[in-house]
């Protein structure tokens, strides 16, 4: 356990609010976000705009609150789950987090490789998806292994450069397809608005199981919370809009061919590659951190390297055509899970955690697990049988409410 105790030491805190703004801006600049924006084309212009804005406002609230736990107590996401779920309960959450993070690593690398293949074929007549997978996987793994002391500098440079490239792309898109044209495109009814709303929420929620892995390095919890919220909200919304507008303009859910057709070849190539690295390294590093919650004696860099390699190998086989289903899987597992965690921390424990007692926490909390399962069932019921309503918010509040209700009932 000594290794884990070192990982929660406050001496490692060196990230400012600006660093978190840039960290989560870099996480948001990715082809996964642009692709997800393209999925909303069936909502029409106004339906898509509302889904993107409201979905990000709603989804960023639990994301930033999850980061507060890490910044206030200097603990990682999966370690903080022990307060509500117990030690073995946190192992179960860590397992699901490792699964989803390996999935995200593979998806990001696949999207990068497929996009670079499309671009290189159209520009040079060359394709080699295996090579692009290796480059994206290796680059992301190395980035993850350099450590948080270097992230603040390389992330600043990368995000500023990527932001400049995306500004150019946005300008050309809006020139090619101005708002006066796009706003007249109406929904075709093939995608319920609430379902599109859940797709948007799933993006910030997918980062919730790892946000504290980085916020624990914060110098100031308040500035870290603001930097996280605004960094992800502004840039993720921007990426969603970029993909959404591209898809509206071209009529294709995949925005990459549209980028190339508009003359974005070289710029798109650079954005695809470097945005993949600045996003995927977060998944790789947090997979290692989640594993260390189960096996704390494993060295961080070794775990990071192993999971970087595993994610790259998985990219060769992962069915990326199931991307939308993967987003729903993330929502169904982690929205109710963190509904319990957030309600436990902010309402039941009143933001007080005995950190060192978590090292010797009880095996599991049955009430927390029951509330988690209840929230999962609510999510699946709304998603499959009440698609006109969002599944995310009912699941989050149901899980949190069940947990508090059970806690109160057992103390009567």
């Amino acid at each position: 356990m000594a290794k884990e105790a070192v990982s929660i030491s406050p001496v490692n805190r060196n990230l400012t609010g600006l660093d978190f703004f840039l960290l989560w801006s870099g996480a948001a600049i990715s082809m996964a976000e642009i692709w997800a924006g393209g999925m909303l084309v069936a909502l029409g212009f106004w339906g898509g705009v509302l889904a993107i804005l409201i979905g990000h406002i709603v989804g960023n609230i639990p994301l930033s609150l999850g980061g507060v736990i890490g910044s206030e107590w200097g603990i990682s996401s999966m370690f903080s789950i022990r307060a509500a779920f117990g030690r073995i309960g946190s192992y179960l959450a860590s397992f699901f987090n490792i699964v989803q993070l390996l999935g995200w690593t593979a998806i990001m690398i696949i999207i990068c490789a497929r996009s670079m293949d499309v671009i290189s074929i159209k520009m040079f007549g060359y394709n080699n998806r295996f090579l692009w997978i290796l480059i994206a996987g290796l680059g992301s793994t190395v980035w993850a292994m350099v450590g948080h002391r270097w992230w603040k500098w390389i992330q600043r440079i990368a995000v500023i450069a990527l932001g400049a490239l995306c500004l150019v792309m946005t300008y050309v898109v809006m020139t090619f397809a101005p708002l006066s044209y796009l706003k007249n495109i109406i929904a075709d009814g093939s995608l319920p608005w609430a379902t599109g709303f859940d797709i948007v929420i799933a993006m910030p929620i997918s980062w919730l199981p790892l946000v504290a892995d980085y916020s624990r390095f914060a110098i100031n919890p308040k500035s870290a919370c603001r930097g996280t919220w605004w960094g992800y909200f502004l840039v993720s919304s921007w990426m969603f809009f970029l993909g959404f507008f591209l898809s509206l303009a071209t009529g294709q859910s995949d925005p990459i061919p549209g980028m190339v057709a508009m003359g974005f070849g070289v710029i798109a190539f650079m954005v695809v590659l470097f945005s993949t690295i600045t996003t995927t390294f977060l998944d790789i590093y947090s997979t290692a951190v989640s594993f260390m919650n189960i096996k704390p004696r494993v060295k961080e860099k070794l775990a990071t390297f192993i999971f970087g390699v595993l994610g790259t190998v998985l990219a060769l086989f992962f069915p990326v055509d199931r991307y939308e289903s993967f987003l729903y899987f993330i929502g169904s597992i982690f929205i109710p899970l963190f509904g319990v965690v957030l309600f436990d921390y902010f309402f039941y424990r009143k933001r007080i955690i005995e950190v060192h007692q978590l090292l010797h926490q009880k095996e599991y909390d049955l009430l927390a697990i029951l509330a988690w399962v209840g929230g999962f069932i609510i999510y699946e019921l709304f998603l499959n049988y009440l698609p006109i309503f969002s599944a995310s918010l009912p699941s989050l509040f149901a899980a949190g409410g069940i947990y508090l209700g059970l806690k109160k009932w057992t103390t009567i």
Side-chain angles (χ1 to χ4, degrees):
M1 294 295 181
K3 294 288 185 182
E4 195 167 41
V6 171
S7 71
I8 62 175
S9 172
V11 299
N12 292 323
R13 294 173 179 262
N14 71 328
L15 300 183
T16 66
L18 175 61
D19 293 321
F20 284 102
F21 181 89
L22 293 173
L23 180 74
W24 291 106
S25 294
I29 300 178
S30 76
M31 289 309 303
E33 308 261 349
I34 296 174
W35 260 37
M39 292 179 183
L40 306 178
V41 66
L43 299 180
F45 179 80
W46 291 111
V49 167
L50 289 175
I52 291 170
L53 290 178
I54 299 175
H56 277 92
I57 290 172
V58 172
N60 269 263
I61 293 173
L63 173 66
S64 56
L65 291 178
V68 168
I69 303 175
S71 61
E72 289 186 340
W73 297 99
I75 54 180
S76 66
S77 294
M78 291 298 109
F79 189 73
S80 70
I81 288 175
R82 293 187 180 196
F85 284 87
R87 184 170 59 87
I88 292 179
S90 77
Y91 291 172
L92 181 60
S94 294
F95 169 77
F96 281 114
N97 197 37
I98 289 170
V99 170
Q100 75 117 351
L101 289 174
L102 280 174
W104 267 122
T105 300
I107 283 176
M108 293 301 299
I109 293 173
I110 291 169
I111 291 175
C112 175
R114 288 179 60 169
S115 300
M116 291 172 71
D117 235 13
V118 171
I119 297 168
S120 63
I121 288 172
K122 290 186 176 293
M123 292 183 61
F124 312 111
Y126 175 78
N127 70 295
N128 192 335
R129 188 173 300 182
F130 179 76
L131 175 64
W132 304 137
I133 286 176
L134 288 182
I135 290 174
L138 178 63
S140 300
T141 301
V142 171
W143 199 293
M145 292 180 66
V146 299
H148 69 90
R149 290 180 178 83
W150 293 98
W151 292 337
K152 64 186 297 178
W153 301 111
I154 56 180
Q155 200 74 355
R156 287 177 182 181
I157 297 171
V159 171
I160 291 172
L162 286 170
L165 294 175
C166 288
L167 276 174
V168 173
M169 291 173 61
T170 303
Y171 173 77
V172 176
V173 170
M174 300 312 299
T175 301
F176 175 81
L179 289 177
S180 58
Y181 164 74
L182 296 178
K183 70 180 184 181
N184 293 319
I185 299 177
I186 61 175
D188 63 16
S190 62
L191 181 71
W193 186 88
T195 303
F197 176 70
D198 282 329
I199 290 175
V200 178
I201 288 181
M203 275 296 182
I205 292 297
S206 71
W207 293 110
L208 184 51
L210 55 149
V211 62
D213 296 348
Y214 307 95
S215 65
R216 62 185 169 140
F217 300 120
I219 296 172
N220 182 282
K222 290 184 179 180
S223 63
C225 182
R226 289 194 296 267
T228 299
W229 200 95
W230 284 107
Y232 195 80
F233 172 78
L234 292 175
V235 181
S236 179
S237 297
W238 176 18
M239 293 301 103
F240 264 78
F241 278 126
L242 182 57
F244 179 56
F245 290 160
L246 268 168
S247 294
L248 283 178
T250 62
Q252 302 179 50
S253 59
D254 184 352
I256 293 298
M259 291 181 181
V260 178
M262 293 181 191
F264 290 146
V266 175
I267 292 178
F269 192 91
M270 295 171 65
V271 169
V272 167
L273 178 59
F274 289 104
S275 67
T276 298
I277 292 174
T278 60
T279 301
T280 309
F281 90 92
L282 296 168
D283 298 318
I284 294 172
Y285 176 73
S286 285
T287 309
V289 173
S290 293
F291 183 74
M292 290 169 65
N293 178 53
I294 302 173
K295 296 289 185 181
R297 294 185 180 181
V298 175
K299 292 186 179 298
E300 183 180 283
K301 289 189 182 299
L302 175 61
T304 301
F305 174 76
I306 290 173
F307 283 111
V309 172
L310 285 176
T312 304
V313 172
L314 182 61
L316 297 172
F317 308 102
F318 196 94
V320 75
D321 57 310
R322 303 289 296 173
Y323 180 39
E324 186 175 339
S325 298
F326 181 69
L327 292 177
Y328 292 139
F329 163 77
I330 291 170
S332 67
I333 295 294
F334 292 103
I335 288 177
L337 170 67
F338 278 91
V340 174
V341 171
L342 295 176
F343 274 66
D344 173 77
Y345 181 70
F346 287 99
F347 297 107
Y348 182 71
R349 299 182 187 275
K350 310 296 184 183
R351 298 171 71 168
I352 301 296
I353 292 179
E354 295 294 336
V355 175
H356 293 287
Q357 288 185 10
L358 297 183
L359 293 168
H360 311 287
Q361 187 76 344
K362 62 184 179 181
E363 297 294 296
Y364 60 90
D365 189 309
L366 181 60
L367 301 183
I369 293 174
L370 288 174
W372 182 13
V373 172
F376 171 82
I377 293 172
I378 293 293
Y379 188 98
E380 291 295 327
L381 287 174
F382 272 81
L383 181 65
N384 294 299
Y385 300 104
L386 294 169
I388 62 171
F389 299 105
S390 166
S392 301
L393 292 181
S395 172
L396 186 145
F397 283 100
I402 292 170
Y403 175 75
L404 291 182
L406 289 174
K407 283 290 187 181
K408 183 176 181 180
W409 177 68
T410 55
T411 57
I412 295 177

